[in-house]
């Protein structure tokens, strides 16, 4: 009996602790705290906490000197603080009440009651897709929309093709919201689509074709509007006896899948899924990247941290052509920073200790053959994290679009006819 209890009890505790942070009602009084590891011992301890899956890491341990943000619910705070203090990690509070910030932002959205697409606030999946359809109707010479798949829960998934005079051109593939709670991602991706179509970019659109999927985790995204603002994963059913749902779609790609930095525990925020490409939404995106061909750039937008990263994620080794990727990233970030002074780090595996396999950018480069594959972590650096205020959507869109224009011009000049 004792043996059984010692197996069962930790499992029960694990689910109690790991299930609570994702429940909306339990976020009242939840904090986000920051610690900075300065020794390998501290870094390893944080990595163990991450892999154990009891806390929601808003910013995962990467390297020495790189901050780590952890969300902790009220009942778990004492335990976490003791654990951090036992490794002499100094705790800095970033958000004192996550539930309160979410409630305030929800109330604001309710008051505005806006149904039509704009960039004054965040919008749900239906509003975004209705807007995408309207673009194709308004700019038939520049833009088309096609349904390329269906999500696990049955939501249609659409691809926008943006170009002038056919698609026989070098391509840039852009996706957003692979992680459901990273709302600034689809907001910025749609902002940039709007700029491409309403600004004077005929020159660029004549030489380059943009393929865009603003929300590639539509079930998760919808769930963040209806049930849990901080949901990250997909919404597929798993074989978890605790009822934990979803896989981390950015650990699900079939390139060194689940080798490192991912979990086999369905209750973990970084659950890689039961097998590579188990998540239908990722199959849909994979099939587009494979089908389109002639893609020179893959850009996937996440938040937060202000990082412009390139492969590899699965290893600390660099691709042989890393200098090419680094050069373009430097130019893009320079243009981005020039707009509002926002500081970005050009991330590569060189300054990372903990790798994470199964990411979409690694697959795009390693299997999809897209040379310039980047993961961009948008604003901010942790003041609000995933709860970035709506007032920052337009400034974030403005600066990121400058970076995209640099990337577009590079493709035009390097590969255009
Ligand atoms: Zn993400």
């Amino acid at each position: 009996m004792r043996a059984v209890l010692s197996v069962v009890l930790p499992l029960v505790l694990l689910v109690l602790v790991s299930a609570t942070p994702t429940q909306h009602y339990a976020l009242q009084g939840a904090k986000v705290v920051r610690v900075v590891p300065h020794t390998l011992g501290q870094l390893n301890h944080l990595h163990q906490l991450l892999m154990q899956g009891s806390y929601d890491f808003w910013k995962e341990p990467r390297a020495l000197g790189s901050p780590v943000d952890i969300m902790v619910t009220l009942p778990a705070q004492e335990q976490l603080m003791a654990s951090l203090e036992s490794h002499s990690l100094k705790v800095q509070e970033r958000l004192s009440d996550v539930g309160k910030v979410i409630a305030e932002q929800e109330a604001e959205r309710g008051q505005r009651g806006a149904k039509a697409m704009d960039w004054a606030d965040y919008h749900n999946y239906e509003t975004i897709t209705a807007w995408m359809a309207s673009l194709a109707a308004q700019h038939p010479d520049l833009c088309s929309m096609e349904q390329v798949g269906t999500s696990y829960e049955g939501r249609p998934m659409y691809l926008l093709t943006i170009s002038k005079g056919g698609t026989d051109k070098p391509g840039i593939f852009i996706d957003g919201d692979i992680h459901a709670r990273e709302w600034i991602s689809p907001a910025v991706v749609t902002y940039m689509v709007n700029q491409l179509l309403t600004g004077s970019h005929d020159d660029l659109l004549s030489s380059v074709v943009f393929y865009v999927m603003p929300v590639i985790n539509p079930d998760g995204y919808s769930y963040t509007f209806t049930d849990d603002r901080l949901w990250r994963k997909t919404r597929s059913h798993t074989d978890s006896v605790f009822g934990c749902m979803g896989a981390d779609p950015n650990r699900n790609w079939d390139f060194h899948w689940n080798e490192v930095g991912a979990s086999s525990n369905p209750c973990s925020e970084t659950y890689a899924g039961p097998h590579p490409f188990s998540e239908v939404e990722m199959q849909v995106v994979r099939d587009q990247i494979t089908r389109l061909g002639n893609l020179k750039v893959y850009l996937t937008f996440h938040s937060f941290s202000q990082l412009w990263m390139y492969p590899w994620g699965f290893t600390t080794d660099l691709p042989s052509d890393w200098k090419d990727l680094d050069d373009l990233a430097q130019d893009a970030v320079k243009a981005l920073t020039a707009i509002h002074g926002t500081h970005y780090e050009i991330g590569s595996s060189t300054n990372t200790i903990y790798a994470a396999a199964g990411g979409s950018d690694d697959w795009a480069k390693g299997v999809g053959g897209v040379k310039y594959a980047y993961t961009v972590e948008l604003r901010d650096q942790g003041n609000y994290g995933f709860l970035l205020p709506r007032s920052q959507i337009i400034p974030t869109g403005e600066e990121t679009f400058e970076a995209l224009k640099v990337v577009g011009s590079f493709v035009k000049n390097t590969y255009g006819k």
Side-chain angles (χ1 to χ4, degrees), residues 1 29 46 165 199 206 245 349:
M1 190 61 195
L46 292 168
S206 299
M245 289 176 75
S349 36

Side-chain angles (χ1 to χ4, degrees), residues 178-179 182 232 302-303 377:
I178 192 169
H179 288 139
E182 299 168 4
R232 164 183 166 99
H302 291 244
S303 74
E377 299 274 4

Side-chain angles (χ1 to χ4, degrees), residues 119-363:
W119 291 272
D121 209 338
Y122 300 100
H123 294 282
N124 67 19
Y125 191 63
E126 288 68 31
T127 300
I128 291 175
T129 52
W131 170 78
M132 286 164 69
S134 77
L135 288 181
Q138 281 167 31
H139 308 275
D141 52 327
L142 297 177
C143 177
S144 65
M145 179 172 101
E146 63 181 307
Q147 184 178 349
V148 290
T150 305
S151 74
Y152 183 84
E153 291 179 346
R155 291 183 177 82
M157 295 175 68
Y158 299 106
L159 173 77
L160 283 175
T161 302
I162 301 168
S163 183
K164 193 175 167 68
T167 57
D168 182 21
K169 306 176 171 113
I172 296 176
F173 192 96
I174 298 172
D175 68 41
D177 206 66
I178 192 169
H179 288 139
R181 63 191 177 185
E182 299 168 4
W183 282 11
I184 189 62
S185 159
V188 160
V189 170
T190 53
Y191 178 91
M192 296 192 298
V193 165
N194 194 51
Q195 290 300 308
L196 282 174
L197 292 173
T198 58
S200 307
H201 304 293
D202 279 17
D203 193 33
L204 183 58
L205 296 181
S206 299
S207 309
V208 178
V209 51
F210 291 86
Y211 299 103
V212 188
M213 297 184 73
V215 181
I216 61 170
N217 179 6
D219 297 346
Y221 188 63
S222 299
Y223 194 69
T224 61
F225 278 82
T226 56
D227 289 78
D228 180 353
R229 172 66 184 86
L230 294 175
W231 187 258
R232 164 183 166 99
K233 300 190 284 181
T234 59
R235 292 293 302 160
S236 56
H237 284 85
T238 71
D239 59 5
S240 160
V241 292
F242 305 115
C244 295
M245 289 176 75
D248 182 342
N250 206 37
R251 300 288 190 281
N252 194 235
W253 293 63
D254 193 7
F255 187 64
H256 297 271
W257 175 82
N258 206 13
E259 280 179 12
V260 61
S263 174
S264 299
N265 170 8
C267 294
S268 165
E269 295 287 357
T270 54
Y271 175 46
H275 54 83
F277 285 122
S278 58
E279 304 313 286
V280 64
E281 299 85 2
M282 299 307 107
Q283 296 170 19
V284 169
V285 182
R286 170 199 65 192
D287 291 349
Q288 291 314 304
I289 294 173
T290 307
R291 173 181 76 101
L292 294 167
N294 207 24
L295 293 177
K296 302 302 177 194
V297 177
Y298 172 75
L299 278 167
T300 181
F301 287 94
H302 291 244
S303 74
F304 58 96
S305 286
Q306 297 171 199
L307 293 170
W308 196 289
M309 296 189 290
Y310 50 85
W312 303 114
F314 76 93
T315 170
T316 53
D317 293 345
L318 288 166
S320 56
D321 60 350
W322 72 271
K323 191 76 178 68
D324 298 343
L325 278 78
D326 193 79
D327 286 347
L328 179 55
Q330 301 281 355
D331 289 345
V333 163
K334 203 171 148 198
L336 185 156
T337 303
I339 303 301
H340 298 295
T342 308
H343 175 78
Y344 264 62
E345 206 182 307
I346 316 276
S348 71
S349 36
T350 47
N351 54 8
T352 298
I353 289 177
Y354 284 111
S360 64
D361 58 344
D362 271 15
W363 186 93

